[in-house]
Amino acid sequence: MADITRRLGWRHLRSTPTAHIRHHRDGKLVHDGPGLGFWFRPLTAALSEVPVEDRELAMTFRARTADFQDVSVQATVTYRIGDPALAAARLDFSVDPDTGAWRGAPLEQLGTLLTETAQQHALDVLARTPLSAALVDGVAAVRDRIAAGLGADPRLPATGIEVVAVRVMAVRPEAEVERALRTPARERIQQEADRATYERRAVAVERERAIAENELASQIELARREERLVEQRGANARREAEEDAAADQVRAQAEAARTVKLAEAEAARSVALARAEAQAAREVGEARAEAQAAWLRVHGDVDVATLHALTGTQLAENLPRIDSVTVSPDVLTGLLARLGGGARG
């Protein structure tokens, strides 16, 4: 919208570079071009402001396919006014000289023209396309048909309009039909997900089985090695026992030999001692016999009284020692009586 200021009955207009201004005064074109600024009298001026930038026109409309299914089409048409003078002559782009606002709604008229033209070509192509094909290839088909139809429509160049681009964002069925169409795809996706889950679980189970087999093989190998270790330990123990037994046997044999030697030495010593004792006994016996014989020979030549005296002496030597003798009157009387009787005889 143009910027208009007031000064003492005059008006000053200032436009933007994307707005084409046409100023007529008394039926004559005074100013014509984009981005103008000038003074004018409002009572004699006729002003038009035509936007020349690219504009986006979003449109949404409903259509019916060949199998009688309703769909909604979302599209956007990019256009611009290539001939501002022709557009100002065909549409009302006049502005109020006091406010700078459009007196009418020219952009709405352009939008209606473009929307109806695009909708006509979209309906034409969708009416011959089944729903399944429309959902798969409908976007490209509708876009190409709208672009071709708008480019061939004679009303747009006659109005000074140029179509820059056409975009179709979606061709969508009704909500119930869309849910029904999504169900098989969702089922397939769910089946694929389930199959992937099962395969992943199968792979996990296979890996767990492989791990279990590896662990079992490791345990078997460890048990086999432990068995070998036990056998080796048993062999070592047997060998050690055999060696200990052999050593004990050697020690026993050595002890027995030593005992035998000691016994033999003891026996030899006992024999020698017995022989020495026997020899000594014989010699003592012989000496005693010789002494006895000599004693007998000596006593044989002595008289009987001497023998009695020697006997009494010998007896006295062998009697025990008497420290004191107690003689009772009876003993003394008997002894005196015997002595008296002996004197008489």
Side-chain angles (χ1 to χ4, degrees):
M1 185 177 67
D3 184 15
I4 297 178
T5 56
R6 301 179 181 183
R7 291 291 187 276
L8 301 175
W10 287 82
R11 304 289 187 271
H12 183 270
L13 182 145
R14 184 178 59 187
S15 66
T16 61
T18 58
H20 189 95
I21 303 298
R22 292 175 63 84
H23 174 210
H24 291 80
R25 186 175 59 200
D26 295 334
K28 295 180 180 180
L29 184 61
V30 181
H31 298 93
D32 186 17
L36 299 179
F38 52 87
W39 292 92
F40 65 92
R41 284 183 172 275
L43 297 178
T44 59
L47 302 174
S48 297
E49 183 182 8
V50 181
V52 294
E53 76 272 18
D54 290 350
R55 287 184 170 267
E56 302 284 342
L57 176 63
M59 58 185 72
T60 300
F61 54 88
R62 302 180 64 83
R64 180 167 293 182
T65 61
D67 47 0
F68 304 102
Q69 297 295 325
D70 291 335
V71 295
S72 60
V73 180
Q74 297 177 357
T76 300
V77 176
T78 304
Y79 71 94
R80 66 170 174 264
I81 300 176
D83 191 346
L86 184 58
R90 298 292 300 272
L91 298 174
D92 185 11
F93 283 96
S94 61
V95 297
D96 190 307
D98 291 328
T99 62
W102 279 315
R103 296 179 183 273
L107 296 181
E108 293 182 4
Q109 296 177 4
L110 284 177
T112 301
L113 175 62
L114 292 172
T115 301
E116 292 179 351
T117 304
Q119 184 176 359
Q120 177 183 356
H121 295 290
L123 294 175
D124 187 23
V125 69
L126 289 175
R128 296 192 298 272
T129 305
L131 178 62
S132 59
L135 295 178
V136 175
D137 301 324
V139 172
V142 171
R143 182 186 65 243
D144 295 341
R145 183 60 181 274
I146 291 176
L150 292 178
D153 194 324
R155 292 178 300 173
L156 298 181
T159 314
I161 299 174
E162 297 178 0
V163 177
V164 178
V166 177
R167 299 189 302 276
V168 177
M169 278 70 72
V171 177
R172 303 184 61 180
E174 293 183 346
E176 295 80 3
V177 177
E178 187 173 6
R179 283 194 296 269
L181 293 175
R182 286 179 178 177
T183 300
R186 288 182 176 178
E187 291 295 332
R188 288 193 300 272
I189 294 173
Q190 187 62 40
Q191 291 176 1
E192 292 292 335
D194 294 340
R195 183 165 58 254
T197 301
Y198 296 150
E199 291 177 355
R200 185 170 62 253
R201 290 179 180 176
V203 171
V205 170
E206 182 65 22
R207 290 180 179 176
E208 291 179 357
R209 184 186 63 80
I211 293 173
E213 289 181 354
N214 292 333
E215 291 179 353
L216 181 60
S218 299
Q219 293 178 359
I220 293 173
E221 183 64 23
L222 289 176
R224 185 180 297 111
R225 293 183 179 180
E226 186 175 359
E227 182 180 1
R228 294 178 181 175
L229 180 60
V230 170
E231 292 178 355
Q232 186 64 36
R233 287 179 177 175
N236 295 337
R238 286 194 300 271
R239 188 179 300 109
E240 184 177 358
E242 291 175 356
E243 292 178 356
D244 292 341
D248 293 339
Q249 184 178 2
V250 171
R251 285 195 296 270
Q253 291 176 355
E255 185 67 22
R258 189 173 64 83
T259 303
V260 170
K261 291 180 180 180
L262 291 176
E264 291 178 352
E266 186 67 24
R269 186 174 58 186
S270 298
V271 171
L273 181 61
R275 289 177 179 177
E277 289 179 352
Q279 183 67 26
R282 284 195 299 271
E283 293 177 355
V284 170
E286 292 177 353
R288 286 180 179 178
E290 291 179 356
Q292 187 69 26
W295 186 79
L296 290 176
R297 285 193 302 270
V298 171
H299 287 81
D301 297 333
V302 178
D303 56 1
V304 175
T306 302
L307 290 174
H308 287 169
L310 291 173
T311 301
T313 302
Q314 188 68 30
L315 180 61
E317 291 177 357
N318 293 327
L319 287 176
R321 180 180 180 183
I322 299 173
D323 294 332
S324 63
V325 176
T326 301
V327 179
S328 64
D330 295 334
V331 174
L332 183 59
T333 302
L335 181 58
L336 292 177
R338 289 179 179 178
L339 292 174
R344 288 188 194 101

